[in-house]
Amino acid sequence: MRFDTKIGIVVRDDLAVWQRLNVTAFLAGAVAGGVPGLIGSPYEDAAGTAYLPTFRQPVLVYVADAGGLSALRSRAVSRGLDTAVYIEEMFTTGNDDDNRAVVRAVTPDDMSLVGLAVHGPRNAVDKSLKGLPLHP
């Protein structure tokens, strides 16, 4: 099935594996919570056990260096895409309020991006992510 929209998550290529997974999870949660209609219906197995719903479409995960993430942020914002950021300072916080505070404290050009999620029309997302390799 081909979707009209696309979800892409990009993590910095020099992060430890646990950091890449953590950043990906946080950014996926941002997209799920911030874009209405992306989550499907709950699941249920043959025994009647209920499970949480998931995204209704695939999520593609890419890698980039720090410069690539910065360029992607600029492209995504200029195209009006739904964008979520994860900056290095967020690894040192312990809660959502502090996460928002560390992001609020830096200008876009000074963000030490370690991850970014974008959602929007497929063509605009593809143009923003152009040239980035999928996560291995």
Side-chain angles (χ1 to χ4, degrees):
M1 174 178 247
R2 185 168 167 90
F3 295 91
D4 294 334
T5 61
K6 187 170 188 173
I7 302 167
I9 295 176
V10 185
V11 294
R12 203 170 70 197
D13 59 2
D14 63 347
L15 297 178
V17 172
W18 75 265
Q19 290 174 313
R20 289 182 190 203
L21 293 170
N22 182 265
V23 169
T24 301
F26 268 85
L27 292 172
V31 174
V35 182
L38 286 182
I39 301 297
S41 298
Y43 289 80
E44 184 177 303
D45 64 24
T49 305
Y51 302 97
L52 294 172
T54 63
F55 283 116
R56 296 173 56 209
Q57 66 185 86
V59 177
L60 299 174
V61 181
Y62 301 81
V63 292
D65 61 15
L69 279 167
S70 181
L72 170 59
R73 192 208 62 78
S74 295
R75 288 191 303 268
V77 170
S78 72
R79 288 185 169 94
L81 298 176
D82 299 316
T83 306
V85 296
Y86 197 107
I87 63 173
E88 207 165 306
E89 293 82 358
M90 292 167 71
F91 287 128
T92 66
T93 65
N95 62 72
D96 194 42
D97 289 337
D98 290 341
N99 285 345
R100 283 194 301 281
V102 296
V103 171
R104 191 178 309 112
V106 295
T107 64
D109 290 338
D110 292 329
M111 283 185 174
S112 54
L113 290 165
V114 296
L116 195 83
V118 294
H119 169 266
R122 174 177 282 284
N123 192 36
V125 172
D126 284 342
K127 285 180 181 178
S128 295
L129 298 171
K130 187 176 181 177
L132 295 180
L134 287 170
H135 191 286

